[in-house]
Amino acid sequence: MTTADDYVIQFIQDKGLVSPADVNEARAATTPVPDGQNPDTLAIAKLVETGKVAWPQITAALSQEFDMELIDVTQVSPSEDVLKLISREQAESRNILPLQMDGAELLVAISDPLDTETLDSVSGVLKLPLNPRLAPPDALKEAISRCYSGGPISGGGAYNDILGKGGDDGLAVELPQGGDVKEDDAPIIRYVNSLIVDAIRRKASDIHLEPLEKRFRVRFRIDGVLQEMKGPPKRLQPSIISRLKLMAEVSLAEKRIPQDGRIQARTGGRDIDLRVSVLPTVYGESIVMRILDKEGLKLGLPELGFFADDQAKFQGLISGSDGVFLVTGPTGSGKSTTLYSALNYINKPDRKIITVEDPVEYQMAGINQVQVKRDVGMTFAAALRAMLRQAPNIVMIGEIRDLETAEIAINAALTGHMVFSTLHTNDSVSAVTRLVDIGVKPFLVSAALRGALAQRLVRRNCQACAAPYKPTAKELYSIGMTEQDLASATPMKGPGCPKCGERGYKGRRGVFEQFVITEEIQEMIYGGSNLVDLRRKAREAGMRTMREDGQRKVASGMTTIEEVLGATVADDVI
């Protein structure tokens, strides 16, 4: 079954379908676990094999839990036209079977209610809303085999065609080498659309199109790591760039200066924004598209990577009635996602929230968002002054960059507003010294600052292939841990599988350092204490560093030692 089997095995225990003793017995019977296998996958298979539970029981319980209708796929017989929409290879690899058109929707059978990635991807590529039904995985596999057994279905679907599975064939026609892209330049339009769809399907955060001397390189940033994709022929570079500039509504004629634009897309019922940056280089214009998925804003605080104790502390900080709360870290460390998730958590009908951003990355319901426009005088400071006359409860500033913005934010906090913002510092305690360096008086920082959160992102172990492993003594030493620290823990590491693209990681989580301003620390800030003394006092008050938080996440099996070492520095270095 393609769902996260650790969730399923816990779910069927909670529903009383199996007992904890049954699960322990199944796990014992499948130990040792072969390399690349998920122990919970094997345990579920053993439970079914020994008759402790049946797939129809599990599927029925999942159907009720996710409010998804069941379907008996043993008797279905989709038409050839419907089967052409998805190739047999895609149907088997993703365990999805097209059944029939139901009005404007495509009715499909799936076995995993949590596999929204497949539903979103197929829906976006086919440009059809999907109406999923749930079926047991074994019955669905048999149905797929039976329905496609009449011989190869020609076409492989629009699915394969749009994703460019046929190599360069679809692009092997003569195209204009520059200038405006006409509507009849279908191969270029299809390639650009497929590129965006493929990036979204792979959950990439950025698309990089880079003109080199002899080729046009395409790379996706997936889970923070750039991965090279198969690029188009160099001769198509001008046409592809022109098409993207046209979609981003920037000047096609201007090739001497940088330009910024935006593309709005919709796939799988989700709105996607792409922030487009065009930069002239020696061999042509380089384009980077940052993918902004609004679904990311709906993350709960645990999905950001907080443990229960850290989450409780974070909720206390952001639920205050006044003061300044800062999220710090370098570009790409997830500061915006954390801030938006915090706003989503405290967004209630009885609170007025206003944000001022440059640019507005995500549009959120129930929140007043202001776009900075420096060319007409709408700076951060000007927007902030106007915002305070709107009587907000909560104010979010995209970034504190200068003394004027910092002073207005501090004054807003001192007059009964809760202010959220970001700051570029290496750690949380440095937020204090950074504000003082900008020019804010220490007594104002002491009075207004409530706390700061520093964060980095680490890749999360793939839930499908991660398996227990024992770190070497050298690895433990490098991260500052001992074997005793892992005595009751289970570090995990994945060898890679098709679900994670053979990388061993899927998705990212944060490692955090929460700096809470206590009365003692307030007095130290007021007195002008240095960074070292502030950090020492914060540690005495219970602050965990990012490296220590990373150690906890290694012990819990969330990530690996290599990821934490790459994202954090040793505590004695700070």
Side-chain angles (χ1 to χ4, degrees):
M1 192 171 184
T2 61
T3 190
D5 288 320
D6 53 348
Y7 171 84
V8 172
I9 205 160
Q10 185 63 49
F11 174 80
I12 61 178
Q13 282 188 76
D14 294 343
K15 291 296 182 182
L17 299 181
V18 294
S19 67
D22 292 333
V23 172
N24 292 335
E25 182 179 334
R27 283 175 170 157
T30 54
T31 302
V33 179
D35 289 342
Q37 293 289 317
N38 185 337
D40 285 333
T41 304
L42 300 177
I44 294 173
K46 177 60 69 173
L47 289 169
V48 173
E49 178 187 330
T50 56
K52 302 291 186 183
V53 68
W55 276 122
Q57 289 178 280
I58 298 175
T59 304
L62 289 171
S63 168
Q64 186 175 7
E65 179 75 10
F66 290 93
D67 193 24
M68 190 175 292
E69 189 176 326
L70 286 170
I71 187 168
D72 180 5
V73 291
T74 59
Q75 304 298 322
V76 298
S77 183
S79 68
E80 185 171 330
D81 288 339
V82 169
L83 291 174
K84 282 181 179 179
L85 294 174
I86 302 176
S87 69
R88 178 170 186 160
E89 177 187 357
Q90 293 291 342
E92 289 178 340
S93 65
R94 295 176 174 269
N95 221 20
I96 183 171
L97 177 64
L99 300 173
Q100 66 181 49
M101 291 300 300
D102 183 12
E105 298 180 326
L106 175 63
L107 193 69
V108 297
I110 61 171
S111 62
D112 182 359
L114 293 176
D115 190 13
T116 55
E117 179 181 349
T118 290
L119 294 174
D120 288 344
S121 175
V122 174
S123 174
V125 171
L126 296 180
K127 293 182 172 56
L128 287 172
L130 301 186
N131 189 347
R133 297 288 188 270
L134 207 56
D138 51 355
L140 182 56
K141 286 179 181 178
E142 291 179 6
I144 291 172
S145 176
R146 172 174 54 80
C147 292
Y148 284 92
S149 62
I153 304 297
S154 62
Y159 189 82
N160 280 345
D161 180 52
I162 294 176
L163 285 184
K165 300 297 184 184
D168 288 339
D169 294 345
L171 300 174
V173 296
E174 291 299 322
L175 292 166
Q177 296 302 301
D180 293 344
V181 178
K182 305 295 191 301
E183 283 302 313
D184 57 354
D185 295 329
I188 290 294
I189 296 173
R190 188 167 65 247
Y191 173 77
V192 169
N193 290 346
S194 72
L195 183 72
I196 294 172
V197 167
D198 196 24
I200 294 171
R201 178 177 63 85
R202 294 172 184 264
K203 297 190 180 301
S205 60
D206 306 284
I207 305 171
H208 294 249
L209 295 98
E210 302 162 312
L212 304 179
E213 183 178 7
K214 295 183 179 179
R215 63 192 182 99
F216 190 31
R217 183 167 67 179
V218 175
R219 294 192 289 177
F220 293 167
R221 190 181 297 278
I222 302 173
D223 293 337
V225 179
L226 280 171
Q227 299 181 29
E228 188 161 349
M229 303 290 128
K230 183 177 181 181
K234 176 72 172 177
R235 62 186 176 82
L236 299 181
Q237 174 183 313
S239 297
I240 292 171
I241 290 174
S242 294
R243 174 61 185 168
L244 285 167
K245 291 173 70 175
L246 185 69
M247 293 172 69
E249 298 182 350
V250 300
S251 173
L252 295 177
E254 184 56 75
K255 300 181 180 179
R256 301 165 298 169
I257 61 174
Q259 298 187 81
D260 293 310
R262 170 170 286 184
I263 298 173
Q264 292 185 322
R266 187 172 178 82
T267 177
R270 289 154 46 208
D271 291 322
I272 305 291
D273 283 348
L274 294 96
R275 275 173 47 194
V276 181
S277 172
V278 184
L279 179 70
T281 68
V282 174
Y283 298 111
E285 291 173 290
S286 171
I287 292 183
V288 175
M289 293 181 282
R290 184 179 179 190
I291 301 171
L292 304 174
D293 185 357
K294 296 179 183 178
E295 292 297 315
L297 302 183
K298 297 179 181 178
L299 289 176
L301 298 182
E303 283 73 30
L304 294 176
F306 285 110
F307 287 125
D309 54 347
D310 288 333
Q311 181 180 330
K313 186 186 296 183
F314 182 72
Q315 288 172 343
L317 283 171
I318 65 176
S319 299
S321 59
D322 58 45
V324 175
F325 177 75
L326 299 172
V327 180
T328 74
T331 301
S333 60
K335 298 188 300 295
S336 294
T337 299
T338 298
L339 270 186
Y340 278 114
S341 296
L343 289 180
N344 193 50
Y345 173 77
I346 61 178
N347 186 13
K348 302 291 189 297
D350 61 342
R351 295 176 180 174
K352 184 178 180 74
I353 303 176
I354 305 180
T355 74
V356 53
E357 305 167 66
D358 182 24
V360 174
E361 294 188 358
Y362 303 97
Q363 295 175 1
M364 297 184 68
I367 292 178
N368 302 276
Q369 295 174 273
V370 178
Q371 169 73 55
V372 168
K373 296 180 180 177
R374 291 184 178 82
D375 54 340
V376 296
M378 178 65 91
T379 61
F380 273 107
L384 270 171
R385 289 192 186 95
M387 285 164 54
L388 296 179
R389 292 193 290 272
Q390 295 275 315
N393 301 104
I394 297 159
V395 172
M396 195 272 271
I397 309 167
E399 182 183 350
I400 293 179
R401 303 180 180 182
D402 51 45
L403 175 58
E404 187 178 19
T405 305
E407 285 183 332
I408 297 173
I410 295 285
N411 289 331
L414 294 175
T415 53
H417 303 86
M418 189 67 198
V419 180
F420 296 94
S421 189
T422 66
L423 205 60
H424 286 282
T425 65
N426 288 329
D427 59 272
S428 60
V429 182
S430 296
V432 173
T433 55
R434 175 63 179 151
L435 289 174
V436 173
D437 288 342
I438 289 174
V440 182
K441 298 292 189 293
F443 74 90
L444 290 175
V445 177
S446 170
L449 190 62
R450 296 290 176 265
L453 175 80
Q455 69 177 70
R456 299 292 188 275
L457 294 177
V458 295
R459 289 185 292 176
R460 184 187 184 194
N461 282 322
C462 172
Q463 300 301 291
C465 66
Y469 91 109
K470 184 177 181 180
T472 64
K474 183 178 180 180
E475 287 177 318
L476 290 174
Y477 177 78
S478 67
I479 199 174
M481 300 178 74
T482 65
E483 291 187 3
Q484 287 73 25
D485 295 328
L486 300 178
S488 59
T490 309
M492 305 286 281
K493 195 170 187 178
C497 66
K499 197 172 182 69
C500 62
E502 307 300 333
R503 295 185 299 272
Y505 301 99
K506 189 173 179 65
R508 288 189 290 176
R509 292 291 185 270
V511 289
F512 305 102
E513 177 181 282
Q514 293 197 67
F515 176 44
V516 180
I517 306 297
T518 64
E519 287 186 6
E520 286 183 281
I521 292 175
Q522 275 186 317
E523 292 176 1
M524 293 178 67
I525 296 172
Y526 186 89
S529 294
N530 61 39
L531 178 63
V532 174
D533 290 339
L534 287 172
R535 171 166 284 276
R536 184 182 299 115
K537 179 58 69 174
R539 295 292 299 276
E540 290 173 3
M543 183 185 79
R544 264 190 298 269
T545 65
M546 286 181 282
R547 173 60 63 87
E548 289 170 337
D549 191 41
Q551 292 171 354
R552 296 176 79 199
K553 280 158 185 168
V554 168
S556 71
M558 180 184 293
T559 189
T560 62
I561 290 176
E562 293 86 352
E563 283 296 299
V564 174
L565 288 175
T568 64
V569 297
D571 297 333
D572 57 358
V573 174
I574 298 175

